[in-house]
Amino acid sequence: MESEIDRYIPHHFNAEDLTGKAKNKKALREKLSLRDDPEKPLICFIGRLDEQKGVHLVHHAIYHALYRDAQFVLLGSATESRINSWFWHEKISCIPTRMFIWNWASTKNFPT
C-alpha cells in the first residue's frame, strides 16, 4: 500500500490502522487554513480546468459540496483565461475556511 511509504504525506497508514489518514486530513486543513472539523468531508480535485474535462461539473461539485457543509480543495489551472476568472471569482467570494483554490501555473501563494 502506497500510503505506508509515501514520502509526501506526513503520517503513514494502512488498512489495519487508519489513524494516520485522519492526521493527514488534519495536517492538510491546517496547511490550507481550512477550519479543522473532523466530521466534515474534505473533497479535493486536482486537474486541468478545461471544457473538455467537464469544468462545469467541477464548478457544480464545489457548490454541491459547500451546500452540504463539506470543504473543497481545488488544485489546477485553466486553459482559458475566462475559466481562470470564473474560479478566481469563486475563490474571493467564498468563505476561506471552507474552500481553497490554487492555480498551479503559479507557484506563489501556495502554503509551504
Side-chain angles (χ1 to χ4, degrees):
M1 199 173 189
E2 290 295 318
S3 57
E4 293 178 298
I5 59 170
D6 190 334
R7 63 186 173 125
Y8 295 107
I9 59 174
H11 307 281
H12 297 112
F13 61 95
N14 58 45
E16 289 80 39
D17 181 11
L18 295 175
T19 56
K21 186 174 182 179
K23 290 177 183 177
N24 286 328
K25 193 173 174 182
K26 180 177 176 61
L28 180 64
R29 283 183 164 136
E30 287 174 5
K31 185 172 200 159
L32 302 181
S33 300
L34 296 171
R35 186 175 346 134
D36 183 27
D37 188 342
E39 298 303 313
K40 291 190 187 308
L42 177 60
I43 301 162
C44 301
F45 172 84
I46 302 171
R48 185 168 43 102
L49 301 171
D50 188 289
E51 295 290 343
Q52 180 183 11
K53 298 283 189 178
V55 69
H56 65 288
L57 297 173
V58 175
H59 189 262
H60 176 74
I62 290 171
Y63 279 93
H64 189 76
L66 296 179
Y67 178 76
R68 285 163 176 73
D69 211 24
Q71 295 171 316
F72 199 95
V73 174
L74 186 147
L75 303 176
S77 62
T79 55
E80 300 176 33
S81 61
R82 71 175 177 80
I83 296 173
N84 267 334
S85 297
W86 191 24
F87 282 93
W88 182 253
H89 171 75
E90 302 306 334
K91 179 178 182 172
I92 61 173
S93 65
C94 185
I95 301 167
T97 59
R98 296 194 50 216
M99 183 169 67
F100 178 85
I101 296 179
W102 181 69
N103 180 336
W104 68 43
S106 168
T107 57
K108 64 183 177 184
N109 299 327
F110 188 77
T112 54

